[in-house]
Amino acid sequence: MEPVSSETPAQPMSLVQRLLGIFTRPAAVFAFLNEQPRMLGALLAVGALSGIMGFLLTDVQLYGIRLGMEEGGGMEPEKIETAVRIISYGIPFGWMLLSILPVFLVAGVLLLIGNVILGGMTTYRKMVSMMAHLGIITIPQLLVKFLLTRMQGDMEAAQRTLESGTSLAALVGEKGPVYYALSQLDLFNLWQLGLAVIGMAILAKVPTQRAAAGLIGAWVLFSIVLVVIQTLTGAAQGS
């Protein structure tokens, strides 16, 4: 399969058009980023929206944090409440940082995959711009999580729902290897992976089939490593 063509000049696109275009016409967005790899606006927009969603999910997150402190022991109830109150102020900012900082790390990995493994030709700036715009996919993901938590009968169920999120792990009750494996099969993460394949084909100028093989292979390898780490960590905490 030939790479997605980006030979014709890309149409000018505003920030809003690019972010909405990720959902409706991603190839056009990546063609624009191939010529003008902009990133700052997308990073700030996704960061701000992530902060808002983090704020809306604060109560569920604080429930899990408080529960962990109580189960750990060693802290008086008054100190736990003080710590939880302080943490609550930082949650939205934490979500903002978590939506921005990984972009630069993942972009470096994608640069290695695109140029070395796939034999393409792209730049770090282009990979950063791609990942910055793909971050908008996490906003509907967080919105769905928010709605699902509000449909639960109590905070414990809401906490479990927030953890399993939009993945197949929601079908499994107890955490373990199966739970962690199914947690990798998240609708929105797979959507983002598919869009990254399109972006890689355009920005690194490689055949789409080769881009798919490289990125999906990297995702499978990363998922296996993550599942092993989560399983070992969970076993250690349970012992």
Side-chain angles (χ1 to χ4, degrees), residues 22-216:
I22 289 294
F23 298 98
T24 59
R25 49 182 189 142
V29 175
F30 296 134
F32 174 85
L33 295 177
N34 188 49
E35 297 181 1
Q36 301 183 48
R38 299 178 181 178
M39 64 186 78
L40 182 59
L43 286 172
L44 294 178
V46 173
L49 292 173
S50 297
I52 292 173
M53 295 309 304
F55 173 78
L56 295 177
L57 289 164
T58 295
D59 57 342
V60 181
Q61 297 173 85
L62 290 180
Y63 172 82
I65 293 171
R66 181 183 289 108
L67 186 63
M69 290 181 177
E70 292 173 350
E71 292 178 347
M75 291 185 67
E76 299 177 357
E78 294 79 6
K79 292 184 178 180
I80 291 178
E81 291 304 317
T82 300
V84 168
R85 185 170 62 255
I86 294 174
I87 292 173
S88 68
Y89 300 135
I91 284 180
F93 298 101
W95 280 81
M96 292 176 64
L97 290 177
L98 286 176
S99 70
I100 294 175
L101 296 182
V103 166
F104 299 95
L105 176 61
V106 175
V109 175
L110 292 179
L111 179 66
L112 175 66
I113 294 175
N115 287 354
V116 178
I117 298 178
L118 300 181
M121 183 181 297
T122 187
T123 65
Y124 180 66
R125 182 180 179 85
K126 289 182 180 181
M127 292 294 99
V128 172
S129 69
M130 179 180 77
M131 290 308 304
H133 286 77
L134 287 182
I136 195 64
I137 298 297
T138 63
I139 303 307
Q141 180 184 37
L142 292 174
L143 180 58
V144 170
K145 287 184 177 182
F146 170 74
L147 295 176
L148 289 175
T149 58
R150 291 308 182 261
M151 294 170 60
Q152 306 307 309
D154 53 63
M155 290 301 292
E156 183 178 355
Q159 172 66 21
R160 291 196 303 268
T161 300
L162 180 60
E163 290 181 352
S164 59
T166 51
S167 71
L168 294 184
L171 303 176
V172 181
E174 185 177 353
K175 290 185 178 180
V178 175
Y179 176 94
Y180 297 128
L182 291 178
S183 68
Q184 305 306 310
L185 301 177
D186 184 289
L187 172 64
F188 291 92
N189 292 345
L190 294 176
W191 183 7
Q192 200 172 42
L193 176 62
L195 293 175
V197 169
I198 298 174
M200 180 66 77
I202 294 175
L203 298 177
K205 299 178 176 62
V206 297
T208 305
Q209 188 174 15
R210 191 191 306 170
L215 292 187
I216 293 175

Side-chain angles (χ1 to χ4, degrees), residues 71 174-176 180 229-239:
E71 292 178 347
E174 185 177 353
K175 290 185 178 180
Y180 297 128
I229 293 175
Q230 290 175 324
T231 301
L232 294 177
T233 303
Q237 292 176 345
S239 61

